[in-house]
Amino acid sequence: MAVAVWAIAFTRNLFSVVVLSGVYSFLMATVLVALDAVDVAMTEAAVGAGVSTVLLLAALRLCKSEEAKPAHKPWLPLAVSVSTSVLLVYGAWGLPDFGDPEAPIHKNVVPRYLNNEVDVPNVVTAVLASFRAYDTLGETVVVFTAGAGIIALLRRRKKNPDNKGGGA
Amino acid sequence: MRDDLVLRVVGRLLIPAILLFALYVQFHGDFGPGGGFQAGVMAAAGIIFYSLIHGLVATRRIVPDWVVETMVAAGVLIYASVGLAGILLGGHYLDYSVLSSDPIHGQHRGIFWVEVGVAVTVCGVMLKIYYMFASRGGAED
């Protein structure tokens, strides 16, 4: 994954960047499988590696495939991201061990979720669709809004005569 | 890519499997990994794969725009109406236990329809975004 990230950061050809980010998504999906988060892994493989790669390629067809040279040196963004990651790693040391049954998160609502009255074998589905039904409704509305936004943005241009108002 | 024999044959073999697997993920989500979101994305990916091979025009004949746009809105409406059904049957909004005489059965029924709603919206939005981007390039390949 580090190799993929390094290559993405240094490649100027956007086509290879798109393909490399698909590779990164597949690697991320395997990591998630190793963490026993199969639902998330499935989503990552389907969305990250599948659909978004195709969407990026479709978008790439509309623009140049070479990235422009950056106008300034990226020292400030580099400093911000390095210091943020140092902070995050420092904070992660304070977390309980992975899979520790004594961790605080497993003491409050998790027992209720695991012995839930919904009686669905896949706890992830039970939590998403029943306990957190409002959240999932909100997410669905977000997805709907994204689709509506895309329709509103891109359809209006189609009414213009061919390729006159659409050049961006 | 329409003339590529390998792609056509592989697509013909894989696309039904992808769509079938999407349905499996959808309806088996209670027991195994998966659910509405994953199933919707997979179904959309299968259709996008078809359109990569056979072109956007052929895909739009099979899954026309009005179907996709109806799907975008219908999923949210299905989800929200499951909640309203809970109110009408005397519970809270999105309370599935009242959807059937047996609370556990009601929960299963509610989760089923909610997942259907999520899948329909996600599939519709993915397809719509793909259609929009792919049709902007002018000449269709």
Side-chain angles (χ1 to χ4, degrees):
Chain A
M1 281 171 86
V3 175
V5 171
W6 205 252
I8 289 174
F10 281 94
T11 314
R12 285 268 165 263
N13 187 340
L14 292 178
F15 184 80
S16 13
V17 169
V18 170
V19 174
L20 280 169
S21 55
V23 171
Y24 178 84
S25 281
F26 268 124
L27 292 172
M28 193 69 218
T30 52
V31 170
L32 290 167
V33 169
L35 291 174
D36 262 352
V38 192
D39 295 73
V40 193
M42 223 178 216
T43 316
E44 176 72 40
V47 180
V51 177
S52 66
T53 306
V54 172
L55 285 182
L56 284 173
L57 286 179
L60 206 55
R61 218 178 53 171
L62 305 176
C63 60
K64 284 193 294 186
S65 67
E66 286 290 319
E67 191 182 348
K69 282 255 180 280
H72 52 87
K73 292 282 180 212
W75 295 123
L76 180 65
L78 187 69
V80 170
S81 52
V82 164
S83 53
T84 312
S85 47
V86 166
L87 266 179
L88 285 177
V89 169
Y90 176 72
W93 274 341
L95 289 177
D97 291 338
F98 178 69
D100 181 8
E102 299 299 313
I105 191 175
H106 293 145
K107 290 287 180 186
N108 296 309
V109 287
V110 168
R112 195 187 146 210
Y113 287 159
L114 289 181
N115 306 309
N116 59 60
E117 67 272 18
V118 181
D119 197 29
V120 168
N122 183 3
V123 188
V124 177
T125 304
V127 172
L128 273 184
S130 189
F131 292 108
R132 302 281 166 86
Y134 282 95
D135 295 11
T136 311
L137 176 60
E139 279 166 31
T140 316
V141 173
V142 166
V143 173
F144 167 77
T145 316
I150 289 280
I151 294 173
L153 271 176
L154 294 185
R155 171 170 295 159
R156 195 169 50 198
R157 302 221 173 133
K158 241 171 29 180
K159 283 182 189 156
N160 292 338
D162 276 351
N163 288 337
K164 272 196 178 156
Chain B
M1 283 191 272
R2 228 165 305 180
D3 305 323
D4 195 326
L5 183 69
V6 175
L7 269 181
R8 285 179 68 110
V9 172
V10 169
R12 199 160 287 175
L13 286 174
L14 275 183
I15 290 169
I18 294 175
L19 293 180
L20 197 63
F21 188 64
L23 288 178
Y24 166 77
V25 166
Q26 169 76 32
F27 296 118
H28 205 254
D30 298 1
F31 307 100
F37 190 86
Q38 288 90 340
V41 172
M42 276 177 202
I47 299 172
I48 289 175
F49 186 31
Y50 179 87
S51 101
L52 286 180
I53 299 170
H54 296 271
L56 194 60
V57 179
T59 315
R60 276 196 157 136
R61 268 205 301 278
I62 300 171
V63 192
D65 272 311
W66 65 268
V67 171
V68 175
E69 281 168 26
T70 315
M71 281 168 73
V72 171
V76 180
L77 285 178
I78 292 174
Y79 200 131
S81 55
V82 172
L84 287 181
I87 291 186
L88 290 179
L89 292 172
H92 298 295
Y93 190 67
L94 290 174
D95 179 8
Y96 308 142
S97 297
V98 292
L99 291 179
S100 176
S101 49
D102 177 25
I104 289 179
H105 190 218
Q107 288 280 352
H108 286 197
R109 188 176 283 178
I111 290 177
F112 173 82
W113 283 109
V114 160
E115 296 279 13
V116 168
V118 173
V120 167
T121 289
V122 167
C123 183
V125 168
M126 292 288 168
L127 280 178
K128 190 67 203 173
I129 295 177
Y130 173 73
Y131 279 8
M132 282 297 185
F133 272 93
S135 62
R136 289 218 51 205
E140 184 47 42
D141 55 350

